[in-house]
Amino acid sequence: MSDHERLALLRDVWREVSRHLEIGESTAVLAVRIARELPLTGLRIRRYEAEGTRLDTAAAWGVLLGDNARSVLTPSRTLEGWTRRGRVVQEPALVDVATEPDVYVGPLLRDGVLVGAMVFAGDLQLHTALLDGLLEPFATALANDRRLHELARLKEAAEADRTALLQRLGRQDIADTVVGAEGGLRTVMARVEQVARTDAPVLVLGETGAGKEVVARQIHMRSSRAKGPFLRVNCGAIPQDLVDSELFGHEKGAFTGAVAQRKGWFERADGGTLFLDEIGELPAAAQVRLLRVLQDGTFQRVGGQGTNSVDVRIVAATHRNLPTLVRDGKFRQDLWYRVSVFPIELPALRERKADIPVLAQHFAQRAGERLFGVPLELSQDDMRVLQAYPWPGNVRELAAVIERAAILGDGKGLAVVASLGVLPAQRAPEGDDPDAIRHALEQCHGRIEGPFGAAATLGVNANTLRSRMRKLGIEWGDYRKR
């Protein structure tokens, strides 16, 4: 490769890093660009977790034999202790590629602090100098991604604190209207009434978008904790290296970036209800600590020595089959027993079609008032179209379709047919279906986030979708526009 080509590649890499804050999207583009110049077959960005005991795959592209999503490090085997032999690393505990000879591994540093590792696979022995030059932009990409998600978490936490404060002051009623309480959800609401007056943990089961959070809020509002906070945390959206800090908080100096003490979700929810959405996504270590809180109400902040106590009612939810996860060793059986004391199963919208007209009219009135200042009405033809659709995204999808129909109708009516027409013709009811994920990625050209990304198409959180893609071995880079 000539000096001109080398400089052009580095320039393009830096430009792409500056354009995308989300590391998955930038890595997919960058890998394709690098592969044009080098014999690259696989690439992994590994994030060095705060407690220094694991490497977590933050982004991936191509093929890397034997690579696992996570690698466990012993305390004495940190990244500073890497040894190299002609730039080919023989360290299976770090990259799980002991049987693959053509691997280059380099440390990712920001301000002299180790933040992760870069793993390149391919016949790259003649290109190590160039690979060294790529470490800095990829370290920047990893740091940008961490800042992006940290800002999102801080915003979510601030909004949760605001909601809890307003609720304590009696200035905001956060209870969502339960449309269908006298129809398809009659049995569900009867169980809500039964359990609300107790402090028993509740497990809400149902497909994505079926309204699990609405049910959790109703349990809270009908309980003796109604004047306390109700906080929701999406377990599948938290990076695995930050789960402990997010749930239980951390002390100042507990890890790089911990510049002050921070309360976790459990402390914020003290005296109220904590809704743990997508609990099946929690890593094993966090499951152990969650079990302790459920058993005796105590926990430790990350980096802390003392024990803290909280009084929190847990409502958990998942669209996954927890008994199957227990059988496969991915979810603790004792935790399953704890969270499923009182299960409530939510039917999918296609199983309660009689509720579609009243739900659709509710969303139409709300969308019209919010967007144009006047409620909007659905015609009989609109109702027939809506009832004929299978609603794989459930109530959440119906709400989105109605709002889009209001926008397309420009406040004069509801363009329901046009709104439904921009959706994929076929979609799986859940984001766990590999075919559905691949179809969404193909339709969205590999884009994960944003209103036109695969996550929005499937009706799941972007981080949750990435986690599922890793488990299923699906690479978003394969669907990017070439």
Side-chain angles (χ1 to χ4, degrees):
M1 179 184 292
S2 67
D3 289 343
H4 175 74
E5 291 171 329
R6 188 178 298 108
L7 289 173
L9 175 59
L10 289 172
R11 180 197 62 212
D12 290 347
V13 170
W14 275 112
R15 180 183 294 135
E16 187 63 28
V17 167
S18 301
R19 288 177 56 199
H20 293 283
L21 293 178
E22 201 284 313
I23 199 166
E25 294 188 1
S26 60
T27 299
V29 175
L30 290 173
V32 173
R33 174 67 179 90
I34 295 169
R36 290 182 198 156
E37 310 293 342
L38 303 179
L40 183 71
T41 61
L43 177 154
R44 298 287 186 274
I45 297 179
R46 312 299 295 275
R47 183 188 291 112
Y48 190 42
E49 295 193 352
E51 69 272 23
T53 60
R54 289 193 307 272
L55 287 173
D56 182 32
T57 296
W61 175 88
V63 178
L64 193 60
L65 296 178
D67 181 63
N68 294 325
R70 302 169 69 80
S71 298
V72 178
L73 306 176
T74 61
S76 62
R77 185 183 281 162
T78 60
L79 299 188
E80 292 92 335
W82 281 355
T83 58
R84 299 187 181 188
R85 188 183 73 241
R87 297 289 185 182
V88 177
V89 175
Q90 296 288 331
E91 182 48 275
L94 290 173
V95 292
D96 300 322
V97 289
T99 59
E100 187 170 4
D102 298 325
V103 173
Y104 167 96
V105 180
L108 297 179
L109 304 169
R110 287 293 291 170
D111 300 323
V113 176
L114 190 69
V115 294
M118 194 74 226
V119 184
F120 295 98
D123 187 10
L124 301 167
Q125 293 284 12
L126 301 179
H127 306 283
T128 55
L130 178 57
L131 297 179
D132 278 341
L134 293 174
L135 295 178
E136 185 176 359
F138 273 106
T140 300
L142 186 60
N144 287 345
D145 181 79
R146 183 178 288 274
R147 291 192 192 99
L148 175 68
H149 290 95
E150 178 62 21
L151 286 173
R153 286 190 297 275
L154 289 173
K155 180 181 178 182
E156 186 177 0
E159 182 60 28
D161 286 343
R162 173 182 173 275
T163 300
L165 179 59
L166 289 174
Q167 189 182 355
R168 286 182 188 276
L169 295 174
R171 292 174 54 191
Q172 184 177 1
D173 182 3
I174 64 169
D176 292 339
T177 302
V178 183
V179 180
E182 300 301 321
L185 293 181
R186 182 177 299 176
T187 302
V188 169
M189 294 310 298
R191 289 183 66 78
V192 167
E193 290 289 353
Q194 279 183 306
V195 77
R197 65 179 71 98
T198 76
D199 262 350
V202 179
L203 179 63
V204 185
L205 304 168
E207 293 180 4
T208 298
K212 295 188 288 292
E213 182 176 353
V214 173
V215 171
R217 287 183 184 276
Q218 291 300 315
I219 293 171
H220 172 75
M221 294 304 295
R222 287 164 164 75
S223 74
S224 60
R225 298 171 178 269
K227 294 184 179 180
F230 173 92
L231 301 183
R232 169 190 177 269
V233 55
N234 186 338
C235 300
I238 308 174
Q240 292 192 356
D241 58 326
L242 295 176
V243 169
D244 280 356
S245 175
E246 289 294 302
L247 291 180
F248 309 115
H250 62 248
E251 299 291 352
K252 180 179 179 180
F255 50 83
T256 302
V259 297
Q261 184 193 79
R262 183 172 182 272
K263 290 184 178 180
W265 289 103
F266 272 91
E267 284 185 89
R268 289 192 179 96
D270 192 23
T273 303
L274 182 60
F275 177 46
L276 295 175
D277 200 6
E278 300 296 352
I279 193 173
E281 304 293 334
L282 279 178
Q287 292 178 29
V288 175
R289 285 180 275 278
L290 175 58
L291 181 62
R292 179 184 176 186
V293 177
L294 288 172
Q295 287 174 335
D296 58 24
T298 63
F299 68 95
Q300 284 185 324
R301 298 192 191 106
V302 175
Q305 300 299 319
T307 298
N308 301 280
S309 298
V310 288
D311 175 22
V312 175
R313 198 243 183 97
I314 295 295
V315 178
T318 182
H319 74 283
R320 305 188 70 182
N321 190 319
L322 284 187
T324 299
L325 294 181
V326 171
R327 183 197 65 199
D328 296 341
K330 296 178 180 178
F331 198 83
R332 292 181 63 94
Q333 188 173 48
D334 46 5
L335 179 57
W336 175 43
Y337 292 150
R338 281 282 180 177
V339 299
S340 61
V341 170
F342 196 89
I344 297 178
E345 188 162 0
L346 261 173
L349 185 56
R350 62 183 174 276
E351 297 170 1
R352 51 185 185 107
K353 286 199 170 184
D355 290 341
I356 291 178
V358 66
L359 276 166
Q361 192 57 57
H362 170 73
F363 292 138
Q365 291 178 351
R366 193 169 67 177
E369 290 172 351
R370 186 174 67 255
L371 296 172
F372 305 105
V374 292
L376 296 174
E377 297 290 331
L378 285 154
S379 69
Q380 291 300 314
D381 287 340
D382 290 335
M383 290 297 188
R384 281 192 287 271
V385 170
L386 294 174
Q387 286 190 298
Y389 185 71
W391 300 111
N394 290 295
V395 179
R396 185 182 300 159
E397 183 182 19
L398 175 60
V401 166
I402 296 298
E403 182 157 350
R404 182 162 53 243
I407 295 170
L408 292 172
D410 201 24
K412 300 172 184 177
L414 289 155
V416 171
V417 174
S419 180
L420 279 170
V422 302
L423 297 174
Q426 298 292 330
R427 191 189 309 166
E430 298 182 10
D432 272 344
D433 183 358
D435 294 334
I437 292 176
R438 291 189 178 96
H439 177 73
L441 288 168
E442 184 176 346
Q443 294 293 315
C444 302
H445 306 294
R447 178 174 292 277
I448 302 294
E449 298 201 38
F452 304 106
T457 299
L458 292 166
V460 299
N461 179 276
N463 285 329
T464 302
L465 177 58
R466 289 192 196 92
S467 173
R468 293 172 189 168
M469 287 168 61
R470 283 197 296 270
K471 293 174 183 176
L472 295 168
I474 298 175
E475 304 289 353
W476 51 77
D478 295 341
Y479 300 89
R480 298 290 293 189
K481 278 187 175 180
R482 302 295 191 259

